[in-house]
Every structure is written in structure tokens, then in C-alpha cells.
Amino acid sequence: MAPLPTARYLLRAKDLADARYCEHLCVADLAEAAGLSAAHFSRLFKQTFGESPHQYLATRRLERAASLLCTTDWSVSRICFAVGAQSIGSFTSSFRRVFGQTPRAYRAMYPPAQSQVRIPHCIALAYGRPQNRTFREDGPHAGP
């Protein structure tokens, strides 16, 4: 059986970064997913994808943060930690470097997330609750 091309192993690491960007991942974790040493992995990743694994992971986190800023009413600090950033200060400066403005200014360019809801909030609350409040899993089954 012919060996798989190296790019296939690199895609495994890239998929891992895409799926688990919010966790504390380091280059060694990504290299392990690719089955390569960290130094060799970093060189091949940059050669193949045009940016280092660390840059790719940081970009992925910032892209997700931008999406959350537009579609949720979460605070900037909650978004910061939800995407795996380690501190609000470094998150804000990285966001400004990539998007040209602070996270708050970026959010201000879009309508509030509440305006994107298609049903009134009171209806969502009323119908999102369980209808049978007397249901117990530990009691006898009352089936036919």
C-alpha cells in the first residue's frame, strides 16, 4: 500500500484546529495529530498553507469571535474566553490588528442580535419550556 501524501496528515491537524479552536491547543498537539515532529510539522504546515499553525489557530479564533459579535449579545469578555483567548487585552489588540477596530466598534456596525430573532422573546420562553411539569423519570411508566 502506498503511503499517504503528507498534505493528508496536515489536513488532519488543520481539521483538529478547526474543530477544537476554543481549547488550549499548541503546535505539539497539532503535530501529534499529523504524526510529525513539531518542527517538521511547522515547516510543512507553513509551506503548504501559507501561514504557521499558530497564526492559523489565532485567525480561526478571531473569525469565530467576529461571528459571535455579530450574532449574539454576549459580552466581549465572554466571547474572548469562548473562542479560547487567554486574556481580554491580547484578544482586543489581536482583533484590532486583524479587523482594524476594537470588538465593540466591530459589533456596533451590525444590528443587535435581538433584532435577528424571528419570534418574540416571550413566545420563545413560553414554548421553550417543558409542557408536562409533573413528569418524573423515576416513577412507574404510565403507558398503554
Side-chain angles (χ1 to χ4, degrees), residues 27-121:
V27 174
D29 297 328
L30 299 174
E32 184 179 331
L36 301 168
S37 71
H40 188 59
F41 168 75
S42 291
R43 275 192 308 277
L44 287 176
F45 193 95
K46 184 165 182 147
Q47 179 183 354
T48 304
F49 299 114
E51 60 185 341
S52 72
H54 178 74
Q55 289 171 327
Y56 179 80
L57 190 56
T59 301
R60 181 69 186 104
R61 287 176 173 153
L62 291 174
E63 288 169 350
R64 180 65 178 142
S67 174
L68 289 171
L69 285 166
C70 297
T71 59
T72 69
D73 288 331
W74 290 2
S75 67
V76 172
S77 61
R78 182 174 178 188
I79 291 172
C80 165
F81 295 115
V83 299
Q86 299 300 313
S87 74
I88 296 172
S90 63
F91 168 73
T92 302
S93 59
S94 296
F95 194 92
R96 180 184 288 146
R97 187 173 49 253
V98 171
F99 291 96
Q101 53 195 335
T102 65
R104 288 189 193 277
Y106 185 85
R107 171 178 272 163
M109 294 182 351
Y110 296 92
Q114 186 64 30
S115 68
Q116 298 176 22
V117 176
R118 298 185 189 274
I119 58 173
H121 185 65

Side-chain angles (χ1 to χ4, degrees), residues 15-31:
D15 289 344
L16 176 68
D18 288 339
R20 295 175 43 196
Y21 63 88
C22 57
E23 298 175 17
H24 179 71
L25 289 175
C26 61
V27 174
D29 297 328
L30 299 174

